[in-house]
Amino acid sequence: MVLSSSSLRWQMCAFTEAGFVRYATAPRAGQIAISEATRLLKQLAQHPGYRSLPIEADWPSLCSPFFSRLYGAT
């Protein structure tokens, strides 16, 4: 089955967008300016089938299923 771009449904939330900006602007990854990363996000939002997914819960509620696997700098 071949999907056309008009039949593709996808969504991103603010966490996904922030992750993209962080990765895309990192010195060893994308190495682009924040303004360019933001422009790319705006372009993505114009694609057919895109939907913004609102975040309706607080950080602990969203992450509690993953707490045992989360780690930070030591």
Side-chain angles (χ1 to χ4, degrees):
M1 179 167 115
V2 176
L3 293 175
S4 70
S5 61
S6 63
S7 64
L8 181 64
R9 303 285 182 248
W10 59 286
Q11 51 195 340
M12 288 194 302
C13 70
F15 287 126
T16 305
E17 292 172 339
F20 167 77
V21 170
R22 181 174 184 231
Y23 184 79
T25 61
R28 292 190 213 165
Q31 299 183 353
I32 63 173
I34 290 176
S35 59
E36 177 69 8
T38 302
R39 187 185 66 74
L40 290 170
L41 285 174
K42 287 180 181 179
Q43 281 184 330
L44 287 172
Q46 299 304 311
H47 283 232
Y50 169 79
R51 185 174 145 230
S52 179
L53 182 62
I55 299 173
E56 299 176 0
D58 60 10
W59 180 256
S61 298
L62 291 169
C63 296
S64 62
F66 311 106
F67 279 159
S68 65
R69 299 186 312 211
L70 294 177
Y71 62 94
T74 55

